Amino acid sequence: MNFNVAVIPGDGIGPEIVNEARKVLDAVGAKYGHTFNYTEVLMGGVSIDAHGVPLTDEALATAKASDAVLLGAVGGRVGIDKWYELPPNLRPEAGLLAIRKGLGLFANLRPAYLYNELKAACPLKESVADAGFDMMVVRELTGGLYFGERKTEEVNGVMTAIDTLKYDENEIRRIAIKAFDIARKRSNKVISVDKANVLDSSRLWQKVVNEVAKDYPDVTLEHMLVDNCAMQLVKDPSQFDVILTENMFGDILSDEASMITGSIGMLSSASLAEGKFGLYEPSHGAAPDIAGKNIANPIATILSAAMMLRYSFDLDKEANAIEDAIKSLLADGYRTVDIMSEGMKQVSCSEMGDLICERV
Ligand code: NAD
Protein backbone atom coordinates (compact mmCIF):
# COMPACT_ATOMS: atom_id res chain seq x y z
CA MET A 1 0.00 0.00 0.00
CA ASN A 2 0.98 3.65 -0.46
CA PHE A 3 0.89 6.23 2.32
CA ASN A 4 1.61 9.96 2.28
CA VAL A 5 3.32 11.10 5.44
CA ALA A 6 3.98 14.75 6.28
CA VAL A 7 7.25 14.85 8.19
CA ILE A 8 8.10 17.70 10.54
CA PRO A 9 11.68 17.33 11.80
CA GLY A 10 11.52 20.63 13.75
CA ASP A 11 14.40 21.83 15.93
CA GLY A 12 17.13 20.48 18.21
CA ILE A 13 17.33 16.68 18.06
CA GLY A 14 14.14 16.64 15.91
CA PRO A 15 15.90 16.10 12.54
CA GLU A 16 18.13 13.31 13.97
CA ILE A 17 15.34 11.28 15.57
CA VAL A 18 12.89 11.77 12.68
CA ASN A 19 15.56 10.60 10.25
CA GLU A 20 15.87 7.32 12.21
CA ALA A 21 12.08 6.88 12.26
CA ARG A 22 11.98 7.34 8.47
CA LYS A 23 14.71 4.73 8.06
CA VAL A 24 12.69 2.28 10.14
CA LEU A 25 9.46 3.01 8.24
CA ASP A 26 11.31 2.36 4.97
CA ALA A 27 12.69 -0.93 6.31
CA VAL A 28 9.13 -1.94 7.27
CA GLY A 29 7.92 -0.84 3.83
CA ALA A 30 10.58 -2.93 2.08
CA LYS A 31 9.73 -6.01 4.12
CA TYR A 32 5.93 -5.81 3.99
CA GLY A 33 5.45 -4.20 0.57
CA HIS A 34 4.41 -0.64 1.47
CA THR A 35 5.63 2.72 0.20
CA PHE A 36 5.79 5.77 2.44
CA ASN A 37 5.99 9.04 0.51
CA TYR A 38 7.35 11.83 2.69
CA THR A 39 6.74 15.55 2.38
CA GLU A 40 8.89 17.67 4.66
CA VAL A 41 7.13 20.48 6.48
CA LEU A 42 8.81 23.32 8.38
CA MET A 43 7.57 24.08 11.87
CA GLY A 44 9.04 25.73 14.97
CA GLY A 45 12.31 27.64 15.03
CA VAL A 46 13.34 26.53 11.54
CA SER A 47 10.08 27.95 10.16
CA ILE A 48 10.63 31.23 12.03
CA ASP A 49 14.09 31.47 10.44
CA ALA A 50 12.68 30.78 6.96
CA HIS A 51 9.30 32.54 7.05
CA GLY A 52 9.08 34.62 10.24
CA VAL A 53 6.28 32.47 11.75
CA PRO A 54 6.38 29.05 13.48
CA LEU A 55 3.82 27.53 11.08
CA THR A 56 2.74 28.89 7.70
CA ASP A 57 -0.72 28.30 6.21
CA GLU A 58 0.96 26.33 3.39
CA ALA A 59 2.73 24.07 5.91
CA LEU A 60 -0.56 23.39 7.70
CA ALA A 61 -2.29 22.69 4.37
CA THR A 62 0.45 20.18 3.44
CA ALA A 63 0.03 18.42 6.80
CA LYS A 64 -3.76 18.34 6.33
CA ALA A 65 -3.46 16.85 2.85
CA SER A 66 -1.33 13.92 4.10
CA ASP A 67 -2.52 10.58 5.52
CA ALA A 68 -0.69 11.22 8.82
CA VAL A 69 1.94 13.49 10.33
CA LEU A 70 5.21 12.47 11.98
CA LEU A 71 6.74 15.16 14.18
CA GLY A 72 10.14 15.36 15.90
CA ALA A 73 10.06 18.29 18.32
CA VAL A 74 10.23 22.05 18.22
CA GLY A 75 11.85 24.66 20.43
CA GLY A 76 15.25 25.88 21.52
CA ARG A 77 17.01 27.19 24.58
CA VAL A 78 14.59 29.50 26.31
CA GLY A 79 16.28 32.81 27.15
CA ILE A 80 19.26 32.04 24.88
CA ASP A 81 17.94 31.44 21.37
CA LYS A 82 16.75 34.55 19.51
CA TRP A 83 13.32 32.95 18.87
CA TYR A 84 12.42 33.71 22.49
CA GLU A 85 12.77 37.46 21.96
CA LEU A 86 9.56 37.20 19.86
CA PRO A 87 6.06 37.54 21.35
CA PRO A 88 4.66 34.19 22.63
CA ASN A 89 2.37 33.68 19.61
CA LEU A 90 5.40 33.76 17.27
CA ARG A 91 7.71 31.47 19.28
CA PRO A 92 8.51 27.89 18.12
CA GLU A 93 6.02 26.20 20.49
CA ALA A 94 3.14 28.28 19.08
CA GLY A 95 3.48 26.11 15.97
CA LEU A 96 2.45 23.10 18.05
CA LEU A 97 -0.75 24.72 19.28
CA ALA A 98 -1.56 25.95 15.76
CA ILE A 99 -1.08 22.56 14.12
CA ARG A 100 -3.05 20.69 16.81
CA LYS A 101 -5.94 23.10 16.39
CA GLY A 102 -5.66 23.25 12.59
CA LEU A 103 -5.75 19.47 12.27
CA GLY A 104 -8.74 19.05 14.63
CA LEU A 105 -6.86 16.70 16.97
CA PHE A 106 -9.14 15.87 19.90
CA ALA A 107 -7.78 12.60 21.28
CA ASN A 108 -4.36 12.38 22.88
CA LEU A 109 -2.83 8.91 23.28
CA ARG A 110 0.04 8.39 25.69
CA PRO A 111 1.24 4.82 26.13
CA ALA A 112 3.17 3.87 29.25
CA TYR A 113 5.00 0.56 29.00
CA LEU A 114 7.63 -0.79 31.35
CA TYR A 115 10.35 -2.71 29.52
CA ASN A 116 11.65 -5.64 31.50
CA GLU A 117 15.22 -4.50 30.84
CA LEU A 118 14.57 -0.95 32.08
CA LYS A 119 12.83 -1.87 35.34
CA ALA A 120 15.65 -0.31 37.34
CA ALA A 121 14.53 3.12 36.01
CA CYS A 122 11.02 2.63 37.42
CA PRO A 123 10.68 4.67 40.63
CA LEU A 124 8.11 2.27 42.13
CA LYS A 125 8.72 -0.55 44.63
CA GLU A 126 10.52 -3.55 43.11
CA SER A 127 7.52 -5.83 43.67
CA VAL A 128 5.29 -3.40 41.72
CA ALA A 129 7.83 -2.94 38.90
CA ASP A 130 8.27 -6.71 38.67
CA ALA A 131 4.59 -7.09 37.73
CA GLY A 132 5.22 -4.73 34.77
CA PHE A 133 2.60 -2.56 33.06
CA ASP A 134 1.38 -1.70 29.59
CA MET A 135 -1.28 1.00 29.44
CA MET A 136 -2.59 3.71 27.15
CA VAL A 137 -3.99 6.96 28.48
CA VAL A 138 -6.64 8.33 26.09
CA ARG A 139 -7.17 11.98 27.00
CA GLU A 140 -9.79 14.34 25.58
CA LEU A 141 -7.83 17.28 24.24
CA THR A 142 -10.13 20.09 23.15
CA GLY A 143 -12.82 20.47 25.82
CA GLY A 144 -13.26 20.72 29.57
CA LEU A 145 -11.69 23.16 31.98
CA TYR A 146 -8.88 24.32 29.68
CA PHE A 147 -11.32 25.56 27.03
CA GLY A 148 -14.34 26.63 29.10
CA GLU A 149 -15.30 30.22 29.86
CA ARG A 150 -13.11 31.90 32.45
CA LYS A 151 -12.91 35.21 34.20
CA THR A 152 -11.35 36.95 37.14
CA GLU A 153 -13.38 39.70 38.79
CA GLU A 154 -14.03 41.44 42.05
CA VAL A 155 -17.16 40.17 43.79
CA ASN A 156 -18.21 42.14 46.89
CA GLY A 157 -14.68 43.48 47.24
CA VAL A 158 -13.04 40.02 46.95
CA MET A 159 -11.01 38.97 43.91
CA THR A 160 -12.67 35.88 42.45
CA ALA A 161 -11.60 33.61 39.57
CA ILE A 162 -13.91 31.25 37.70
CA ASP A 163 -13.05 28.44 35.26
CA THR A 164 -15.81 26.41 33.63
CA LEU A 165 -15.71 22.65 33.06
CA LYS A 166 -18.10 21.98 30.20
CA TYR A 167 -18.60 18.89 28.04
CA ASP A 168 -21.41 18.07 25.66
CA GLU A 169 -22.46 14.52 24.90
CA ASN A 170 -20.99 14.60 21.38
CA GLU A 171 -17.53 15.51 22.66
CA ILE A 172 -17.70 12.66 25.17
CA ARG A 173 -19.05 10.16 22.64
CA ARG A 174 -16.32 10.70 20.04
CA ILE A 175 -13.46 10.29 22.54
CA ALA A 176 -15.16 7.26 24.11
CA ILE A 177 -15.47 5.62 20.68
CA LYS A 178 -11.72 6.21 20.11
CA ALA A 179 -10.91 4.61 23.48
CA PHE A 180 -13.03 1.53 22.80
CA ASP A 181 -11.57 1.15 19.29
CA ILE A 182 -8.07 1.37 20.77
CA ALA A 183 -8.92 -1.18 23.46
CA ARG A 184 -9.88 -3.61 20.68
CA LYS A 185 -6.33 -3.33 19.35
CA ARG A 186 -4.96 -4.02 22.85
CA SER A 187 -6.39 -6.07 25.75
CA ASN A 188 -10.10 -5.14 25.47
CA LYS A 189 -10.35 -3.25 28.74
CA VAL A 190 -11.35 0.38 29.32
CA ILE A 191 -11.21 2.13 32.68
CA SER A 192 -13.07 5.43 32.39
CA VAL A 193 -11.85 7.97 34.93
CA ASP A 194 -14.03 10.77 36.28
CA LYS A 195 -15.21 12.50 39.45
CA ALA A 196 -18.86 11.50 39.19
CA ASN A 197 -19.38 11.70 42.97
CA VAL A 198 -19.03 15.49 42.67
CA LEU A 199 -19.19 16.80 39.10
CA ASP A 200 -22.18 17.00 36.76
CA SER A 201 -19.84 16.87 33.75
CA SER A 202 -18.52 13.54 35.09
CA ARG A 203 -22.04 12.13 35.54
CA LEU A 204 -22.80 12.95 31.89
CA TRP A 205 -19.40 11.46 30.99
CA GLN A 206 -20.34 8.15 32.71
CA LYS A 207 -23.76 8.04 31.07
CA VAL A 208 -22.40 8.55 27.56
CA VAL A 209 -19.48 6.15 28.07
CA ASN A 210 -21.98 3.49 29.24
CA GLU A 211 -24.03 4.05 26.07
CA VAL A 212 -20.96 3.71 23.83
CA ALA A 213 -19.92 0.54 25.70
CA LYS A 214 -23.10 -1.20 24.50
CA ASP A 215 -21.61 -1.23 20.98
CA TYR A 216 -18.48 -2.97 22.29
CA PRO A 217 -19.68 -6.09 24.14
CA ASP A 218 -16.20 -7.61 23.75
CA VAL A 219 -14.60 -4.75 25.72
CA THR A 220 -14.79 -4.64 29.53
CA LEU A 221 -15.66 -1.26 31.02
CA GLU A 222 -15.01 -0.04 34.54
CA HIS A 223 -15.42 3.43 36.04
CA MET A 224 -12.87 4.79 38.48
CA LEU A 225 -12.74 8.06 40.42
CA VAL A 226 -9.77 10.20 39.48
CA ASP A 227 -8.33 10.37 43.00
CA ASN A 228 -8.43 6.59 43.26
CA CYS A 229 -6.85 6.30 39.78
CA ALA A 230 -3.92 8.51 40.83
CA MET A 231 -3.33 6.11 43.75
CA GLN A 232 -3.84 2.91 41.75
CA LEU A 233 -1.27 4.06 39.17
CA VAL A 234 1.49 3.83 41.77
CA LYS A 235 -0.01 0.94 43.76
CA ASP A 236 -0.83 -1.50 40.96
CA PRO A 237 -0.28 -0.09 37.44
CA SER A 238 -0.55 -3.60 35.94
CA GLN A 239 -4.38 -3.43 36.27
CA PHE A 240 -4.69 -0.79 33.53
CA ASP A 241 -5.10 -1.27 29.79
CA VAL A 242 -6.88 1.79 28.32
CA ILE A 243 -7.55 4.74 30.62
CA LEU A 244 -10.20 7.03 29.14
CA THR A 245 -10.52 10.47 30.66
CA GLU A 246 -11.26 14.16 30.19
CA ASN A 247 -8.74 16.89 29.46
CA MET A 248 -7.39 18.02 32.84
CA PHE A 249 -7.53 14.61 34.54
CA GLY A 250 -5.75 13.19 31.48
CA ASP A 251 -3.09 15.90 31.56
CA ILE A 252 -2.15 14.93 35.10
CA LEU A 253 -2.62 11.14 34.87
CA SER A 254 -0.69 10.80 31.59
CA ASP A 255 2.32 12.53 33.14
CA GLU A 256 2.06 10.30 36.21
CA ALA A 257 1.86 7.21 33.96
CA SER A 258 4.92 8.27 31.94
CA MET A 259 6.92 9.13 35.04
CA ILE A 260 6.64 5.58 36.39
CA THR A 261 8.34 4.21 33.23
CA GLY A 262 11.36 6.28 34.21
CA SER A 263 12.80 6.92 30.72
CA ILE A 264 11.83 10.01 28.71
CA GLY A 265 13.58 8.92 25.51
CA MET A 266 11.25 5.91 25.20
CA LEU A 267 7.85 7.60 25.41
CA SER A 268 5.77 7.91 22.27
CA SER A 269 2.47 9.73 21.76
CA ALA A 270 -0.25 10.39 19.23
CA SER A 271 -3.03 12.91 18.75
CA LEU A 272 -5.95 11.78 16.65
CA ALA A 273 -8.65 13.57 14.66
CA GLU A 274 -11.96 12.21 13.34
CA GLY A 275 -11.44 9.18 11.13
CA LYS A 276 -7.94 7.73 10.88
CA PHE A 277 -5.89 10.92 10.69
CA GLY A 278 -3.32 11.52 13.41
CA LEU A 279 -0.17 13.34 14.41
CA TYR A 280 2.56 11.20 15.97
CA GLU A 281 5.41 12.55 18.08
CA PRO A 282 7.68 11.62 20.99
CA SER A 283 6.58 12.88 24.42
CA HIS A 284 9.90 14.61 25.00
CA GLY A 285 11.04 17.98 23.67
CA ALA A 286 13.76 19.18 21.30
CA ALA A 287 16.59 18.55 23.80
CA PRO A 288 18.80 21.39 22.48
CA ASP A 289 21.48 20.41 25.03
CA ILE A 290 22.32 17.27 23.04
CA ALA A 291 21.34 18.35 19.50
CA GLY A 292 23.72 17.53 16.66
CA LYS A 293 25.76 15.04 18.71
CA ASN A 294 24.14 11.85 17.39
CA ILE A 295 23.50 10.66 20.96
CA ALA A 296 19.71 11.23 21.30
CA ASN A 297 17.51 8.23 21.90
CA PRO A 298 15.38 7.82 18.74
CA ILE A 299 13.14 5.09 20.25
CA ALA A 300 10.27 7.38 21.35
CA THR A 301 9.98 8.71 17.79
CA ILE A 302 10.30 5.25 16.24
CA LEU A 303 7.59 3.98 18.60
CA SER A 304 5.46 6.97 17.55
CA ALA A 305 5.92 5.84 13.93
CA ALA A 306 4.75 2.37 15.02
CA MET A 307 1.64 3.98 16.52
CA MET A 308 1.07 5.71 13.18
CA LEU A 309 1.14 2.33 11.44
CA ARG A 310 -1.34 0.87 13.93
CA TYR A 311 -3.82 3.71 14.42
CA SER A 312 -3.77 5.62 11.11
CA PHE A 313 -2.90 2.85 8.64
CA ASP A 314 -4.26 -0.27 10.41
CA LEU A 315 -0.90 -2.01 9.90
CA ASP A 316 -0.87 -3.87 13.23
CA LYS A 317 1.56 -6.59 12.17
CA GLU A 318 4.07 -3.99 10.97
CA ALA A 319 3.70 -1.96 14.19
CA ASN A 320 4.32 -5.13 16.22
CA ALA A 321 7.47 -5.82 14.17
CA ILE A 322 8.94 -2.45 15.22
CA GLU A 323 7.98 -2.89 18.88
CA ASP A 324 9.37 -6.44 18.96
CA ALA A 325 12.63 -5.31 17.33
CA ILE A 326 13.06 -2.69 20.08
CA LYS A 327 12.32 -5.23 22.83
CA SER A 328 14.86 -7.68 21.40
CA LEU A 329 17.56 -4.99 21.11
CA LEU A 330 17.04 -3.96 24.72
CA ALA A 331 17.18 -7.62 25.75
CA ASP A 332 20.52 -7.92 23.91
CA GLY A 333 21.90 -5.00 25.89
CA TYR A 334 21.90 -2.16 23.32
CA ARG A 335 21.37 1.25 24.90
CA THR A 336 21.64 4.91 23.95
CA VAL A 337 23.46 7.01 26.53
CA ASP A 338 20.29 8.21 28.33
CA ILE A 339 19.32 4.65 29.30
CA MET A 340 22.86 3.28 29.58
CA SER A 341 23.79 1.12 32.55
CA GLU A 342 26.78 -0.97 33.54
CA GLY A 343 27.58 -3.93 31.31
CA MET A 344 25.38 -2.73 28.42
CA LYS A 345 26.51 -1.80 24.89
CA GLN A 346 26.29 1.93 24.19
CA VAL A 347 25.20 2.94 20.69
CA SER A 348 24.57 6.27 18.96
CA CYS A 349 21.24 7.59 17.71
CA SER A 350 21.91 6.43 14.14
CA GLU A 351 23.30 3.05 15.26
CA MET A 352 20.12 2.42 17.28
CA GLY A 353 18.08 3.27 14.15
CA ASP A 354 20.19 0.90 12.01
CA LEU A 355 19.85 -1.94 14.53
CA ILE A 356 16.05 -1.55 14.63
CA CYS A 357 15.96 -1.58 10.78
CA GLU A 358 17.98 -4.82 10.74
CA ARG A 359 15.57 -6.53 13.12
CA VAL A 360 12.14 -5.49 11.82
P1 NAD B 1 13.27 18.08 26.71
O1 NAD B 1 12.34 16.93 26.73
O2 NAD B 1 13.67 18.59 25.38
O3 NAD B 1 14.61 17.69 27.49
C1 NAD B 1 14.62 17.33 28.88
C2 NAD B 1 15.89 16.51 29.19
O4 NAD B 1 15.73 15.20 28.62
C3 NAD B 1 17.15 17.08 28.54
O5 NAD B 1 18.25 16.85 29.39
C4 NAD B 1 17.33 16.28 27.28
O6 NAD B 1 18.66 16.16 26.84
C5 NAD B 1 16.74 14.93 27.66
N1 NAD B 1 16.11 14.25 26.51
C6 NAD B 1 14.93 14.56 25.93
N2 NAD B 1 14.69 13.75 24.90
C7 NAD B 1 15.73 12.91 24.82
C8 NAD B 1 16.07 11.84 23.94
N3 NAD B 1 15.28 11.47 22.93
N4 NAD B 1 17.24 11.19 24.13
C9 NAD B 1 18.04 11.53 25.16
N5 NAD B 1 17.77 12.52 26.01
C10 NAD B 1 16.64 13.21 25.85
O7 NAD B 1 12.59 19.21 27.60
P2 NAD B 1 13.08 20.71 27.89
O8 NAD B 1 14.56 20.74 28.10
O9 NAD B 1 12.17 21.19 28.93
O10 NAD B 1 12.74 21.52 26.54
C11 NAD B 1 13.68 21.79 25.49
C12 NAD B 1 12.98 22.50 24.36
O11 NAD B 1 11.99 21.63 23.80
C13 NAD B 1 12.21 23.74 24.82
O12 NAD B 1 12.34 24.73 23.82
C14 NAD B 1 10.79 23.27 24.93
O13 NAD B 1 9.85 24.32 24.76
C15 NAD B 1 10.71 22.27 23.79
N6 NAD B 1 9.65 21.25 23.95
C16 NAD B 1 9.04 20.85 22.82
C17 NAD B 1 8.08 19.86 22.88
C18 NAD B 1 7.44 19.40 21.61
O14 NAD B 1 7.92 19.72 20.52
N7 NAD B 1 6.36 18.63 21.66
C19 NAD B 1 7.77 19.26 24.11
C20 NAD B 1 8.45 19.66 25.25
C21 NAD B 1 9.41 20.66 25.16
Side-chain angles (χ1 to χ4, degrees):
M1 291 169 82
N2 258 301
F3 300 98
N4 296 318
V5 180
V7 174
I8 307 179
D11 308 312
I13 59 170
E16 299 163 52
I17 54 182
V18 162
N19 192 40
E20 298 315 309
R22 276 178 63 161
K23 269 170 32 184
V24 173
L25 283 173
D26 289 338
V28 167
K31 175 156 181 203
Y32 292 91
H34 307 298
T35 306
F36 301 102
N37 307 306
Y38 306 103
T39 311
E40 282 219 10
V41 172
L42 289 186
M43 190 172 94
V46 283
S47 173
I48 297 173
D49 291 344
H51 304 294
V53 289
L55 182 73
T56 62
D57 292 344
E58 294 74 34
L60 177 60
T62 306
K64 251 186 196 164
S66 66
D67 296 321
V69 181
L70 181 66
L71 166 65
V74 298
R77 293 159 300 170
V78 182
I80 297 177
D81 288 322
K82 59 186 183 317
W83 304 320
Y84 294 95
E85 290 161 17
L86 296 165
N89 64 327
L90 288 179
R91 291 180 189 173
E93 291 78 2
L96 280 174
L97 302 180
I99 200 164
R100 285 178 186 149
K101 186 159 182 249
L103 296 177
L105 306 171
F106 67 87
N108 183 232
L109 275 51
R110 291 265 298 268
Y113 177 78
L114 185 62
Y115 288 88
N116 212 13
E117 295 74 21
L118 301 181
K119 272 184 184 159
C122 174
L124 302 179
K125 268 204 309 213
E126 209 176 318
S127 58
V128 178
D130 278 343
F133 54 83
D134 177 3
M135 71 184 95
M136 175 78 80
V137 180
V138 177
R139 165 190 171 194
E140 203 288 329
L141 208 51
T142 58
L145 209 48
Y146 297 173
F147 291 89
E149 267 178 57
R150 71 185 57 142
K151 62 180 172 186
T152 305
E153 61 186 354
E154 204 172 294
V155 179
N156 299 329
V158 179
M159 286 308 290
T160 307
I162 303 170
D163 295 289
T164 321
L165 203 179
K166 174 171 161 274
Y167 270 107
D168 71 40
E169 58 179 311
N170 297 329
E171 290 172 302
I172 301 170
R173 190 168 293 109
R174 67 178 185 174
I175 186 82
I177 290 171
K178 285 276 187 217
F180 280 89
D181 285 342
I182 289 162
R184 275 192 170 156
K185 284 180 176 274
R186 297 172 47 90
S187 302
N188 291 296
K189 182 177 172 190
V190 171
I191 294 186
S192 176
V193 174
D194 59 47
K195 189 72 182 166
N197 53 342
V198 180
L199 301 174
D200 265 38
S201 57
S202 283
R203 284 191 277 273
L204 181 63
W205 183 276
Q206 265 201 19
K207 179 174 175 286
V208 177
V209 171
N210 283 334
E211 284 165 16
V212 171
K214 288 185 189 142
D215 294 331
Y216 296 82
D218 50 323
V219 179
T220 316
L221 169 66
E222 271 177 47
H223 299 280
M224 190 179 277
L225 294 176
V226 62
D227 38 356
N228 185 27
C229 182
M231 291 191 286
Q232 295 299 327
L233 274 172
V234 291
K235 189 167 168 250
D236 177 18
S238 69
Q239 69 186 290
F240 295 103
D241 177 23
V242 172
I243 295 178
L244 160 65
T245 193
E246 62 91 53
N247 201 345
M248 185 179 66
F249 297 161
D251 187 8
I252 298 165
L253 295 175
S254 60
D255 270 7
E256 186 185 353
S258 26
M259 181 60 217
I260 58 174
T261 68
S263 37
I264 192 169
M266 310 284 297
L267 293 167
S268 55
S269 84
S271 300
L272 307 181
E274 297 281 6
K276 291 281 173 190
F277 188 86
L279 178 144
Y280 299 83
E281 59 178 322
S283 290
H284 58 73
D289 51 333
I290 56 166
K293 296 183 179 162
N294 194 22
I295 58 168
N297 187 345
I299 292 180
T301 315
I302 293 168
L303 286 171
S304 303
M307 289 181 82
M308 177 172 84
L309 298 182
R310 181 173 291 120
Y311 296 113
S312 281
F313 304 156
D314 274 326
L315 300 177
D316 292 32
K317 186 169 73 243
E318 291 81 344
N320 289 338
I322 295 177
E323 290 162 356
D324 291 345
I326 291 168
K327 282 179 199 157
S328 87
L329 281 167
L330 293 174
D332 289 346
Y334 293 100
R335 305 279 189 275
T336 44
V337 63
D338 56 309
I339 51 171
M340 185 61 191
S341 58
E342 215 183 314
M344 300 294 126
K345 295 167 243 185
Q346 190 172 319
V347 293
S348 67
C349 178
S350 55
E351 283 165 342
M352 183 58 94
D354 289 339
L355 285 163
I356 296 169
C357 288
E358 277 168 27
R359 295 200 184 191
V360 289

